[in-house]
């Protein structure tokens, strides 16, 4: 039998396999205009913020996406950093109930020059 629901273990993908999709809704391609959570890595477990998918790019493997951040900047990211946001999530985020604006979070080195540009633009 498989791992029961709620008993998720950390082995899967830990060794950096071949870029397989995570399956289910979070592995499906995203259409332009889709609202998603952009997942941030960070020393304190990161955070998330609501973004809008602008375009999917299939000229690389794995495919990547252009998204609009809450501060209006565009960023390129991979599918595994995007999590589908439900209508209720979008409404709650619009009311400021959950999530956080990406530009309010400390920029980690893993975000690269793109994050540094966003920090400079916000200054």
């Amino acid at each position: 039998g498989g791992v029961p629901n709620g008993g998720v273990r950390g082995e899967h993908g830990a060794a950096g396999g071949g870029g397989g999709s995570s399956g289910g809704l979070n592995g499906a391609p995203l259409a332009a205009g889709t609202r998603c959570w952009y997942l941030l890595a960070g020393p304190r477990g990161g955070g998330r913020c609501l973004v809008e998918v602008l375009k999917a790019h299939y000229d690389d493997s794995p495919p990547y996406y252009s998204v609009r951040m809450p501060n209006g900047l565009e960023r390129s990211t991979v599918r595994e950093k995007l999590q589908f946001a439900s209508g209720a999530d979008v409404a709650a985020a619009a009311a400021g109930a959950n999530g956080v604006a990406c530009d309010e979070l400390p920029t980690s080195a893993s975000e690269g020059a793109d994050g540094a540009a966003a920090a400079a633009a916000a200054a």
Side-chain angles (χ1 to χ4, degrees):
V3 178
N5 285 342
V8 177
R9 295 201 180 112
E11 313 75 82
H12 298 298
S21 83
S22 54
L25 192 59
N26 282 336
L30 297 168
T34 304
R35 302 301 296 269
C36 292
W37 291 111
Y38 174 70
L39 306 176
L40 298 131
R44 294 174 304 197
R48 66 182 190 171
C49 60
L50 205 60
V51 299
E52 179 182 355
V53 175
L54 299 176
K55 186 175 182 184
H57 304 272
Y58 296 101
D59 57 344
D60 202 359
S61 180
Y64 63 99
Y65 294 87
S66 295
V67 298
R68 181 179 293 117
M69 307 300 276
N71 61 6
L73 294 177
E74 279 187 39
R75 171 172 284 185
S76 295
T77 189
V78 291
R79 180 65 180 88
E80 63 199 34
K81 284 193 157 196
L82 297 171
Q83 189 176 62
F84 181 78
S86 70
D89 284 341
V90 173
N98 59 8
V100 63
C102 291
D103 50 340
E104 291 172 13
L105 293 168
T107 304
S108 67
S110 65
E111 293 292 342
D114 197 348

